[in-house]
C-alpha cells in the first residue's frame, strides 16, 4: 500500500476531485490518509491544487447531469485519460494492478465525442477549483467552502445562531430564517456533535424554502456531497473547544469572501477576548446520554448494570 499511496497519487486524487467538483468531505479523507501514511499533505496543498485545476464537470447538485451520465460518457477512466493528456494527472504512478495508471488506460477509449458532462479544459465551468480554504478570525485553523461560481463569491450578513442541526431544521421549517442572514450551526464538530455527523437536510430545506441565494450557512460540522448554496463547513477550531464560532451571538455580522479566502466576524479582538473569558466548555453530550441510558437499563434490569458500564 505504501508503494501505491504516495504524495503524487494524492495530488492526482485531489485533482480528479477538483475536476469533478467533489464533496468537501474529500478534504477530511485526504488529510486523514496523508497522516496515516506519513505523507506531507495539508490544507495549503489542497488550496494550491484547487487554484491550479479547472472545474469541468456539469454534475449535480450544482450542475445538470448525474454520475450515470458520466459513466455513459466514458466514465472516470476516460476522464483520467483526458487529464493525463492535459498534464493535469501523472499517469506514471503505480496502481493496484501492478502497472501504472497510464498503462491501465492504454485500451481505454476517451470521452465520447458528443458528451456534454465534462467541459473541455479550454472552456471550463470555472478556471479554478470549487474547494476553497477560508481563514480569518472565525476560522484561524481553516474552513472549507464549496464554491462552483453559481453561488457568488461574497456574502455578508447578520448571524442567526443554532446549537444543533435539529434546531436549525425546525427554524427553517417554521419560517424563522431571515433573508440576508448567515445561519450558524455549531456544536457539530468532531468533539461537539460528537463525531462530526454529515448534514444534508439544512441546505435541502433552505433550497426548498426558496432561500438558496438569499442566505449563507457556516458550521463547525460537515456537509453531504449533495449540498449546494453558499455554505462553509469544517470551521476550526470548533465551538466545543472554544473556537470563535462558539462565541458568536445573533446579529453579529459575518463576512464570507471566497476571493480573498476569508471568513470573519465583525468583532474587535477586545470584544472576542471578553466573550472568551466568559465562555465555558459545553456539557458533554455523550456522557449525558450514557448516564441517562445507564439509569434506564439499570432500572429495567433491577440494578444488574455495574458502574463499569
Amino acid at each position: 500500500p505504501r508503494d501505491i499511496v504516495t504524495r503524487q497519487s494524492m495530488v492526482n486524487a485531489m485533482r480528479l476531485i477538483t475536476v469533478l467538483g467533489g464533496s468537501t468531505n474529500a478534504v477530511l479523507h485526504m488529510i486523514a490518509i496523508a497522516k496515516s501514511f506519513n505523507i506531507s499533505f495539508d490544507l495549503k496543498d489542497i488550496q494550491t491544487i484547487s487554484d491550479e485545476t479547472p472545474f469541468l464537470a456539469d454534475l449535480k447538485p450544482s450542475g445538470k447531469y448525474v454520475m450515470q451520465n458520466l459513466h455513459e460518457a466514458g466514465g472516470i477512466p476516460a476522464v483520467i485519460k483526458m487529464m493525463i493528456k492535459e498534464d493535469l494527472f501523472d499517469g506514471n504512478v503505480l496502481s493496484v494492478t501492478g502497472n501504472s495508471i497510464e498503462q491501465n488506460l492504454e485500451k481505454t477509449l476517451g470521452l465520447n465525442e458528443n458528451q456534454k458532462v465534462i467541459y473541455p479544459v479550454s472552456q471550463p465551468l470555472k478556471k479554478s477549483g470549487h474547494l476553497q480554504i477560508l481563514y480569518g478570525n472565525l476560522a484561524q485553523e481553516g474552513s472549507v467552502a464549496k464554491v462552483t461560481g453559481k453561488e457568488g463569491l461574497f456574502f455578508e450578513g447578520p448571524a442567526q445562531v443554532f446549537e444543533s442541526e435539529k434546531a436549525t431544521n425546525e427554524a427553517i421549517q417554521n419560517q424563522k430564517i431571515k433573508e440576508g442572514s448567515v445561519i450558524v450551526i455549531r456544536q457539530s464538530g468532531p468533539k461537539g456533535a460528537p463525531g462530526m455527523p454529515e448534514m444534508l437536510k439544512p441546505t435541502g430545506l433552505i433550497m426548498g424554502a426558496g432561500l438558496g441565494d438569499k442566505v449563507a450557512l457556516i458550521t463547525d460540522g460537515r456537509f453531504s456531497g449533495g449540498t449546494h448554496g453558499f455554505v462553509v463547513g469544517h470551521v476550526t477550531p470548533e465551538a466545543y473547544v472554544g473556537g470563535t464560532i462558539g462565541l458568536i451571538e445573533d446579529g453579529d455580522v459575518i463576512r464570507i469572501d471566497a476571493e480573498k479566502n476569508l471568513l470573519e466576524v465583525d468583532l474587535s479582538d477586545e470584544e472576542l477576548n471578553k466573550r472568551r473569558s466568559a465562555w465555558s466548555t459545553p456539557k458533554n453530550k455523550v456522557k449525558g446520554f450514557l448516564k441517562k441510558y445507564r439509569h434506564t437499563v439499570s432500572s429495567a434490569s433491577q440494578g444488574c448494570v455495574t458502574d463499569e458500564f
Side-chain angles (χ1 to χ4, degrees):
R2 293 180 187 276
D3 293 334
I4 296 169
V5 181
T6 63
R7 178 176 167 80
Q8 186 55 54
S9 72
M10 295 194 69
V11 170
N12 280 346
M14 204 67 227
R15 282 186 176 154
L16 178 62
I17 289 164
T18 305
V19 163
L20 295 177
S23 171
T24 56
N25 282 315
V27 175
L28 293 175
H29 299 317
M30 295 298 283
I31 290 177
I33 292 168
K35 288 183 177 179
S36 296
F37 282 82
N38 296 318
I39 295 171
S40 175
F41 192 84
D42 56 23
L43 290 176
K44 291 181 181 179
D45 295 305
I46 290 170
Q47 184 63 64
T48 298
I49 291 168
S50 187
D51 289 343
E52 297 174 349
T53 309
F55 169 43
L56 305 177
D58 190 16
L59 291 168
K60 289 183 181 295
S62 63
K64 180 178 180 181
Y65 300 99
V66 297
M67 288 302 291
Q68 177 66 23
N69 300 121
L70 177 58
H71 175 71
E72 293 167 354
I76 299 298
V79 174
I80 294 176
K81 194 160 190 171
M82 175 274 292
M83 290 176 66
I84 291 173
K85 183 180 178 181
E86 296 286 350
D87 292 324
L88 292 172
F89 193 105
D90 184 350
N92 295 314
V93 299
L94 183 66
S95 75
V96 294
T97 66
N99 295 321
S100 70
I101 296 287
E102 192 162 23
Q103 288 172 326
N104 290 342
L105 298 176
E106 284 178 358
K107 297 181 181 180
T108 299
L109 299 176
L111 288 163
N112 297 345
E113 186 176 348
N114 297 319
Q115 66 84 27
K116 298 180 181 180
V117 183
I118 303 295
Y119 277 53
V121 173
S122 58
Q123 296 176 298
L125 283 165
K126 189 171 179 284
K127 291 183 179 180
S128 59
H130 62 300
L131 295 178
Q132 296 296 312
I133 310 300
L134 311 184
Y135 293 91
N137 67 354
L138 239 176
Q140 295 95 327
E141 296 175 12
S143 61
V144 186
K146 185 177 179 181
V147 181
T148 64
K150 296 180 180 180
E151 308 87 353
L153 298 171
F154 182 88
F155 197 102
E156 182 177 277
Q160 282 191 263
V161 183
F162 301 94
E163 302 296 337
S164 68
E165 176 190 1
K166 181 181 179 182
T168 309
N169 294 339
E170 290 174 354
I172 299 169
Q173 291 171 314
N174 293 326
Q175 300 182 335
K176 292 183 178 180
I177 301 300
K178 302 173 184 176
E179 291 187 11
S181 66
V182 177
I183 300 168
V184 179
I185 307 177
R186 60 191 182 197
Q187 309 304 339
S188 298
K191 294 183 179 180
M196 210 176 190
E198 189 171 80
M199 288 186 285
L200 175 60
K201 196 169 184 179
T203 53
L205 288 172
I206 286 170
M207 300 302 291
L211 295 170
D213 59 348
K214 298 177 176 64
V215 300
L217 189 155
I218 71 169
T219 180
D220 51 10
R222 65 190 181 102
F223 298 112
S224 157
T227 294
H228 50 157
F230 211 121
V231 297
V232 183
H234 308 203
V235 174
T236 52
E238 63 175 295
Y240 187 82
V241 299
T244 305
I245 190 172
L247 309 177
I248 295 173
E249 298 174 0
D250 286 340
D252 291 342
V253 176
I254 294 174
R255 188 175 305 110
I256 306 169
D257 191 330
E259 285 190 300
K260 297 181 179 179
N261 292 78
L262 290 173
L263 179 61
E264 301 176 320
V265 58
D266 191 13
L267 294 171
S268 66
D269 290 342
E270 181 181 7
E271 176 61 24
L272 285 174
N273 289 333
K274 179 182 176 182
R275 294 186 188 184
R276 190 167 282 111
S277 63
W279 177 87
S280 60
T281 304
K283 183 179 179 181
N284 187 295
K285 297 177 185 176
V286 171
K287 289 181 179 178
F289 170 77
L290 288 177
K291 184 176 181 181
K292 180 180 179 181
Y293 183 73
R294 181 169 63 178
H295 173 75
T296 302
V297 174
S298 179
S299 298
S301 59
Q302 296 181 344
C304 293
V305 178
T306 67
D307 287 340
E308 282 72 22
F309 179 84

